[in-house]
Amino acid sequence: MLENWVVTPTCLPLVLRRCHTCASGRFRANGKFRVNANHKLIDAWLLALCTACGETTKLTVLERMNARSVRPELLDRMHDNDPALAAELLQDPVVRRRNRIALDWDDAWRLDTGGSDHPDRRGGLPCSSEAEGLGKTDVSVRFAARIPVRPVRLIAEGFGLSRAEVERLIVEGKLVSAVRLSGKLSGDFTFMLKR
């Protein structure tokens, strides 16, 4: 049995950065941009609002770039306040490093398992009489965005198990993968559940 799971974002992640007004550490990007041209040079920022006081911070996207070196479609997307562009830029390691920010993906993603109401599932795993015939389940997990998530959490959510049960299955060798299942991953991986 082969299953395909997808980790998809549900909204933009929170930006972790200290607010100069209220000392809060979280900002919400809403996909708004500010573009400023000074003769032949362009600056562009992604705007984010403090979740506590509403103060605006500017995340540098373009800094003193020659207008001719900026793709026109990129400028159009910024002028249109494209939320998809905001998502792309927040995930760009160069933008995150330049602005010294980190992202908080809590409550900003979901796991799509391709239909959670499988007829052979009771409490997440196939019941024992059916499991004998199935033998194993191969699962391919794909990330629609670079969202750092613990594989143990994904597997627990996907099969309706507790994290402790998933960790027990790993220790018993019934849950195996080519990647390390402890820690966080943000890239595609596969695992196999043996029964």
Side-chain angles (χ1 to χ4, degrees):
M1 174 186 272
L2 175 64
E3 294 189 19
N4 293 302
W5 295 357
V6 182
V7 178
T8 57
T10 56
C11 60
L12 292 175
L14 291 177
V15 175
L16 300 178
R17 175 187 234 185
R18 181 73 48 207
C19 178
H20 298 296
T21 303
C22 72
S24 168
R26 299 185 183 300
F27 284 83
R28 180 168 308 284
N30 56 5
K32 303 277 188 222
F33 290 89
R34 178 169 180 222
V35 180
N36 187 29
N38 184 1
H39 299 287
K40 295 179 182 179
L41 301 177
I42 292 180
D43 293 303
W45 301 273
L46 173 61
L47 304 178
L49 300 175
C50 176
T51 58
C53 70
E55 181 70 21
T56 301
T57 190
K58 298 187 295 188
L59 305 175
T60 303
V61 176
L62 301 175
E63 188 171 31
R64 313 296 291 165
M65 295 284 296
N66 188 307
R68 292 180 188 212
S69 66
V70 179
R71 294 185 332 266
E73 61 271 6
L74 177 63
L75 280 176
D76 289 343
R77 290 177 74 189
M78 283 192 229
H79 286 298
D80 294 339
N81 292 318
D82 184 353
L85 177 61
E88 290 171 28
L89 291 171
L90 283 175
Q91 294 179 54
D92 185 343
V94 173
V95 171
R96 288 201 321 257
R97 243 188 335 270
R98 176 186 294 148
N99 292 284
R100 295 186 183 103
I101 60 170
L103 301 178
D104 179 3
W105 282 98
D106 288 349
D107 302 322
W109 61 272
R110 74 171 181 270
L111 177 64
D112 294 325
T113 59
S116 59
D117 43 323
H118 293 290
D120 61 342
R121 291 208 178 156
R122 290 192 193 127
L125 292 174
C127 61
S128 60
S129 63
E130 293 163 333
E132 292 170 8
L134 296 175
K136 64 178 181 161
T137 301
D138 290 312
V139 178
S140 171
V141 181
R142 188 177 62 79
F143 287 78
R146 289 186 299 255
I147 303 170
V149 183
R150 295 185 187 284
V152 169
R153 179 178 177 186
L154 291 176
I155 295 167
E157 187 174 317
F159 284 118
L161 302 170
S162 70
R163 291 185 197 173
E165 288 175 282
V166 172
E167 289 175 1
R168 181 183 53 80
L169 291 169
I170 292 170
V171 169
E172 292 175 356
K174 294 182 178 180
L175 190 58
V176 295
S177 178
V179 299
R180 197 170 53 110
L181 295 175
S182 60
K184 289 187 176 183
L185 291 175
S186 58
D188 301 352
F189 70 99
T190 59
F191 67 91
M192 180 175 48
L193 175 64
K194 303 175 188 175
R195 292 184 274 281

